[in-house]
Amino acid sequence: MSEPKAPTPTPAGDTYKGWVFKWTNYIKGYQRRWFVLSNGLLSYYRTQAEMGHTCRGTINLATANITVDDACNFMISNGGAQTYHLKASCEVERQKWITALELAKAKAARMQAESDDSGDDFSPSAAPGQGAGSQNAEFQSAMRMLGSKVEDLSTCNDLISKHGSALQRSLSELDNLTLTGEAGEKIRQVTERATLFRITSNAMINACRDFLSMAQTHSKRWQKALQAEREQRVRLEETLEQLAKQHNHLERAFRGAAQANASADSKSISGPGKGEVSDDDDNEFFDAMEEAPEFITVPADPQFHKRSSSNVSSFNSEICQDDQSLNEEPLAMNQESPSQELVPLKKRRTRIPDKPNYSLNLWSIMKNCIGKELSKIPMPVNFNEPISMLQRLSEDLEYHELLDKAAKSHNSLEQMCYVAAFCVSAYSTTVYRTGKPFNPLLGETYELDRQRESGYRSLCEQVSHHPPAAAHHAISDRGWTLRQEITVASKFRGKYLSIMPLGTIHAIFEKSNNHYTWKKVTTTVHNIIVGKLWIDQSGEIDVVNHTTGDRCHLKFAPYSYFSRDVARKVTGVVMDKTGKAHYVLSGTWDEKMEFSRVMQSSRGGENGTEGRQKTVYQTLKAKELWRRNPLPDGAETMYYFTALALTLNEPEEGVAPTDSRLRPDQRLMEDGRWDEANAEKQRLEEKQRTARREREREALNQRSSSTSEEAVDEDSVTDPSLKSVPHENYKARWFEHTEDKITGEAVHVYKGGYWEAKDQGKWEDCPDIF
């Protein structure tokens, strides 16, 4: 049966309706659905008759992304589990829907922003009289209407620019076709008219932009003037109220003095004084009482509410001891040593050269890399970001304040919350960072000295080349030490790249002698060949306190198209050595982490396909534990570096000759000279291979002499059988190879001497790697 022709979507006020084909699954493909756009919400139904009782799905346009695939297809996604793949019957109909959706999205975003700030619209200045309140409401309504129209104008401006550019490109493609006769003449006429239309549109767009800029400038000026008038009116009203009270007090005192003798006069004067106090009592506010109901967000058992007054007071004091320190203000780091404040700090750079726009045939390089270890493949700098893996490892200290707070904690479970938040914060810098760091050369080092600014200094050294391993040691004046040795294993799977960090991270606190360890999760880079690159973190982390037995289990949920949870979600539970839960952590690895104190836990019913029982935690109100710092202005053109990352490759005097800042190919890339950087990178890699062959010869000669075998010709080093010769003659300069007492792993631990060598300027033992 042939279906009736789909009617053109019709607008009705702020409502837009019509038939659109929606992708359902691979079996049924696209199916026709009735879509309704109203009040910033896009809903769909199987038929028009379902509008009264069954809605098949709704998406909020305020936070949605609208993308166009081809002539008739477009997609709407809210960044989470809701994504609609839609197809219109023709290009004109699709354009009508896109325009309506863009306008509705802009309006919904404005309404959401206004609702968030609605408390500011009703200031106390409008309280004295209804007339002032009505005038304020009328003014706010007019301002919202004007703002809405200006936003509509801005949205239309953007749409005209985008669609005009698309039209011009399409006409240019037609003009390039070799057509003769009447068709070619018609195309030339259309091209000329489109050019005139583009010129006129550009003029209109420039006028609209100037108008919008002037409107915004004057709007801010008017807002400031209005705010000043409001504040002045409030001050005048308060002054008038005080004068009225004083006048009333003096009038009552005068009347009492006229009706009594001198002794009674003093009593009559004191009487109205008390009356005045009673009048003021009506105006007193008790803000502290608002804090009491906020302790419990999930209803607890009655035993928490039926305590005696003494029990309740002790319960509240216990909560204050445990939770106040977790919600304290940023630490005043220089209170103990005020003399440091007098020393001028070095001004760090806030910008690096913008990333050049180099074209590269990605598939020609990546097609030969499938299934191989990425660290063994020579890659051009076009895939890199201008920092080394050692600098990237030092960037884990972006939120060192969490370790500073942990060092001041008196409770080990509270300290665990800070350590777990620090563990999660290390991934926040990766959300937009799709570039690959430079693989360090063997013996390369990197120091990060922030002792004067933040109280810590860090040293990294590349201690192994195959497999690539970097040792890291950071120590702080505020009572903590961080050390790790990370080996990165990576596999290219065609559509995505998996990066598996191997190694254990140690955090030791001097005051409490608590020793924490944890490992890193897997990082996955998606859309390697086609599409926009995006990064996800997935896996589980156990943060263990080896001193007390406390443990925090963190779970990084992988992205799933079908999941309803927020993207990049992280959850965790802090438990003592007996397994009792004390804190619940929740948040996202790219934004923030919160904690809630557990009051009681219980086992729920069976859930899931495996019949596992979920634990239900009754907690207090969640409080923020960590939040990501905003990116610097213009970060999208500077490899999405954070404020700390922008300073990592800044040249400094006095560093070791093996420091990553002195690496020539990395410096050339940062300056935008990528062709020279690629040539320099090949030179350094060949120099590294030559040095490795020399170490192989030395190792072979030592083994031959120790076993009293025949001398082996130097040319035989190229024999594949000699590839297994251990490089025992290479030793790291600042780290020594030992066995970790906690984990039993063979690791490199800082042996000291670097900072002393820097103070003396003695770098004789450093290898020549650059």
Side-chain angles (χ1 to χ4, degrees):
M1 294 178 64
S2 62
E3 294 186 358
K5 183 179 180 181
T8 303
T10 57
D14 290 337
T15 304
Y16 206 72
K17 305 177 182 178
W19 290 102
V20 181
F21 291 91
K22 179 181 179 294
W23 175 263
T24 56
N25 52 52
Y26 284 100
I27 298 177
K28 295 184 178 181
Y30 284 96
Q31 296 292 320
R32 198 177 68 149
R33 298 289 183 261
W34 180 256
F35 278 80
V36 178
L37 173 60
S38 178
N39 295 326
L41 299 176
L42 180 65
S43 307
Y44 77 93
Y45 311 84
R46 287 189 177 177
T47 61
Q48 293 176 259
E50 283 190 346
M51 291 179 60
H53 55 85
T54 304
C55 178
R56 300 293 176 175
T58 301
I59 190 169
N60 189 352
L61 295 178
T63 58
N65 294 322
I66 303 170
T67 57
V68 178
D69 291 340
D70 53 24
C72 298
N73 293 35
F74 58 102
M75 182 179 67
I76 305 172
S77 173
N78 64 354
Q82 286 182 297
T83 301
Y84 295 166
H85 295 270
L86 307 177
K87 180 170 68 173
S89 60
C90 63
E91 187 174 358
V92 175
E93 182 182 348
R94 185 217 65 184
Q95 192 55 50
K96 290 181 179 180
W97 272 106
I98 292 296
T99 303
L101 290 169
E102 292 282 2
L103 292 173
K105 175 184 175 181
K107 186 173 182 180
R110 291 197 306 271
M111 292 177 63
Q112 183 176 3
E114 291 175 0
S115 64
D116 293 340
D117 299 336
S118 59
D120 299 335
D121 295 344
F122 302 96
S123 60
S125 62
Q130 294 182 354
S134 61
Q135 291 178 2
N136 185 39
E138 183 178 354
F139 173 77
Q140 293 293 338
S141 176
M143 288 299 296
R144 280 195 295 269
M145 184 179 298
L146 289 174
S148 176
K149 297 303 180 183
V150 171
E151 290 293 337
D152 288 344
L153 184 60
S154 178
T155 303
C156 293
N157 180 3
D158 296 337
L159 291 174
I160 289 176
S161 299
K162 181 171 67 175
H163 300 320
S165 299
L167 174 62
Q168 196 66 34
R169 286 196 301 270
S170 300
L171 291 174
S172 298
E173 293 174 358
L174 287 175
D175 196 21
N176 292 332
L177 297 176
T178 57
L179 298 177
T180 59
E182 186 177 356
E185 184 64 27
K186 290 292 184 181
I187 290 177
R188 281 192 293 273
Q189 292 178 3
V190 172
T191 304
E192 292 175 357
R193 293 175 182 176
T195 302
L196 293 175
F197 175 77
R198 180 174 60 84
I199 295 173
T200 307
S201 299
N202 287 338
M204 187 192 72
I205 288 172
N206 293 332
C208 292
R209 187 181 296 110
D210 294 341
F211 169 76
L212 182 61
S213 176
M214 293 176 62
Q216 291 175 344
T217 302
H218 289 289
S219 175
K220 293 178 182 178
R221 189 179 305 165
W222 294 336
Q223 288 287 349
K224 291 181 180 178
L226 177 62
Q227 185 64 25
E229 292 293 334
R230 286 180 176 176
E231 293 175 355
Q232 185 176 4
R233 187 178 71 176
V234 171
R235 288 194 296 269
L236 290 175
E237 289 173 351
E238 291 176 351
T239 304
L240 182 61
E241 184 179 359
Q242 292 295 330
L243 289 174
K245 287 182 179 180
Q246 293 177 8
H247 181 269
N248 187 24
H249 171 66
L250 292 173
E251 186 177 12
R252 283 183 295 176
F254 177 75
R255 288 176 182 176
Q259 296 176 359
N261 54 23
S263 60
D265 289 343
S266 60
K267 295 181 180 180
S268 64
I269 292 174
S270 62
K274 296 179 181 178
E276 181 194 27
V277 174
S278 64
D279 292 340
D280 289 343
D281 288 343
D282 296 336
N283 296 327
E284 291 184 6
F285 297 93
F286 300 92
D287 295 337
M289 297 183 64
E290 298 178 0
E291 297 290 334
E294 294 184 2
F295 279 118
I296 298 176
T297 56
V298 178
D301 289 343
Q303 61 178 342
F304 291 113
H305 303 282
K306 295 182 179 179
R307 299 190 177 193
S308 62
S309 60
S310 60
N311 290 336
V312 172
S313 62
S314 62
F315 171 70
N316 289 339
S317 64
E318 180 185 358
I319 292 177
C320 291
Q321 291 176 0
D322 286 346
D323 289 347
Q324 277 184 354
S325 59
L326 282 171
N327 199 31
E328 64 184 355
E329 294 297 323
L331 302 176
M333 298 305 179
N334 290 327
Q335 290 181 356
E336 299 178 358
S337 56
S339 61
Q340 292 184 2
E341 298 180 357
L342 303 177
V343 180
L345 300 178
K346 179 179 179 180
K347 187 176 180 181
R348 306 286 178 179
R349 68 181 183 181
T350 58
R351 286 199 62 83
I352 62 174
D354 291 346
K355 178 181 179 181
N357 185 16
Y358 275 85
S359 60
L360 183 69
N361 187 353
L362 183 65
W363 178 243
S364 64
I365 298 175
M366 301 301 291
K367 66 182 179 181
N368 297 321
C369 305
I370 298 177
K372 296 182 180 179
E373 176 69 31
L374 200 65
S375 61
K376 297 182 179 180
I377 301 171
M379 305 288 284
V381 300
N382 305 56
F383 293 103
N384 290 13
E385 55 184 9
I387 60 174
S388 71
M389 190 63 195
L390 302 181
Q391 293 165 313
R392 194 73 183 85
L393 199 60
S394 302
E395 205 174 342
D396 287 353
L397 298 170
E398 172 90 18
Y399 299 95
H400 62 89
E401 298 91 349
L402 292 169
L403 295 180
D404 294 340
K405 293 180 180 180
K408 296 185 67 176
S409 299
H410 300 286
N411 185 300
S412 63
L413 295 169
E414 164 189 314
Q415 190 178 68
M416 174 68 81
C417 293
Y418 284 119
V419 175
F422 175 79
C423 172
V424 176
S425 70
Y427 298 97
S428 64
T429 60
T430 66
V431 61
Y432 302 114
R433 302 273 288 278
T434 56
K436 185 181 79 68
F438 278 79
N439 291 330
L441 304 174
L442 187 61
E444 186 174 336
T445 61
Y446 179 73
E447 68 163 77
L448 182 63
D449 191 352
R450 293 292 187 272
Q451 191 166 25
R452 289 171 59 189
E453 297 95 327
S454 305
Y456 72 88
R457 52 188 184 182
S458 158
L459 175 66
C460 291
E461 182 179 0
Q462 188 76 359
V463 295
S464 174
H465 188 62
H466 286 304
H472 180 209
H473 182 272
I475 188 168
S476 172
D477 295 341
R478 283 145 202 180
W480 56 264
T481 301
L482 184 77
R483 62 179 176 86
Q484 57 183 322
E485 181 178 344
I486 298 297
T487 300
V488 177
S490 54
K491 291 291 184 180
F492 177 55
R493 304 295 185 182
K495 289 182 60 178
Y496 63 91
L497 172 68
S498 296
I499 303 171
M500 293 79 69
L502 309 175
T504 304
I505 306 172
H506 299 255
I508 304 100
F509 296 93
E510 296 178 4
K511 185 177 180 181
S512 60
N513 201 30
N514 288 332
H515 190 142
Y516 296 85
T517 64
W518 67 92
K519 295 179 180 291
K520 292 194 172 186
V521 296
T522 299
T523 300
T524 307
V525 184
H526 294 269
N527 294 345
I528 295 292
I529 301 300
V530 179
K532 184 178 181 181
L533 293 176
W534 61 279
I535 293 177
D536 192 26
Q537 313 286 348
S538 60
E540 298 182 1
I541 297 177
D542 279 320
V543 185
V544 181
N545 185 342
H546 295 275
T547 305
T548 63
D550 301 337
R551 181 181 299 267
C552 177
H553 182 74
L554 293 171
K555 183 177 181 180
F556 289 67
Y559 174 80
S560 174
Y561 181 83
F562 302 100
S563 175
R564 295 182 179 271
D565 289 335
V566 63
R568 309 181 182 99
K569 183 178 180 181
V570 180
T571 56
V573 180
V574 176
M575 299 171 287
D576 58 20
K577 62 181 179 181
T578 65
K580 180 182 177 181
H582 291 264
Y583 290 98
V584 173
L585 306 180
S586 62
T588 57
W589 55 263
D590 69 320
E591 189 63 33
K592 66 176 181 178
M593 288 295 293
E594 296 178 338
F595 76 99
S596 304
R597 188 179 179 203
V598 176
M599 305 312 303
Q600 194 176 27
S601 61
S602 59
R603 289 284 182 177
E606 292 188 357
N607 294 278
T609 58
E610 300 179 1
R612 295 180 179 176
Q613 289 184 334
K614 292 186 176 180
T615 303
V616 179
Y617 295 107
Q618 296 175 346
T619 64
L620 303 183
K621 184 179 179 181
K623 296 181 181 180
E624 188 172 282
L625 189 61
W626 159 78
R627 179 177 289 273
R628 178 173 66 94
N629 296 329
L631 291 174
D633 295 337
E636 62 276 2
T637 63
M638 298 185 295
Y639 308 89
Y640 287 99
F641 278 0
T642 62
L644 174 64
L646 289 174
T647 66
L648 293 179
N649 204 41
E650 184 176 9
E652 288 190 15
E653 296 181 357
V655 298
T658 54
D659 196 274
S660 299
R661 298 177 182 87
L662 305 176
R663 183 165 175 165
D665 54 347
Q666 186 173 301
R667 181 65 60 190
L668 288 169
M669 184 201 171
E670 182 183 279
D671 294 337
R673 300 155 63 182
W674 285 14
D675 294 336
E676 299 175 50
N678 277 316
E680 190 66 18
K681 183 173 181 290
Q682 293 180 3
R683 183 189 69 81
L684 291 176
E685 291 172 349
E686 181 57 34
K687 183 175 181 179
Q688 183 175 235
R689 284 190 287 268
T690 302
R692 183 183 181 185
R693 286 193 292 267
E694 290 294 333
R695 288 193 300 272
E696 288 177 352
R697 291 190 181 93
E698 292 178 5
L700 180 62
N701 293 333
Q702 291 177 3
R703 188 179 66 171
S704 300
S705 60
S706 62
T707 57
S708 300
E709 293 179 354
E710 294 182 10
V712 181
D713 185 66
E714 290 185 355
D715 294 335
S716 63
V717 178
T718 58
D719 192 326
S721 63
L722 300 180
K723 296 299 181 181
S724 60
V725 175
H727 305 302
E728 297 178 356
N729 59 336
Y730 178 80
K731 292 183 180 180
R733 176 63 183 88
W734 309 109
F735 290 79
E736 62 180 351
H737 195 263
T738 183
E739 180 178 336
D740 190 88
K741 297 180 180 179
I742 298 294
T743 62
E745 300 173 346
V747 296
H748 284 81
V749 179
Y750 178 60
K751 62 182 179 181
Y754 179 87
W755 303 107
E756 293 78 6
K758 180 182 178 181
D759 294 338
Q760 300 173 9
K762 296 182 179 180
W763 305 111
E764 291 81 4
D765 296 336
C766 292
D768 178 18
I769 59 175
F770 297 142

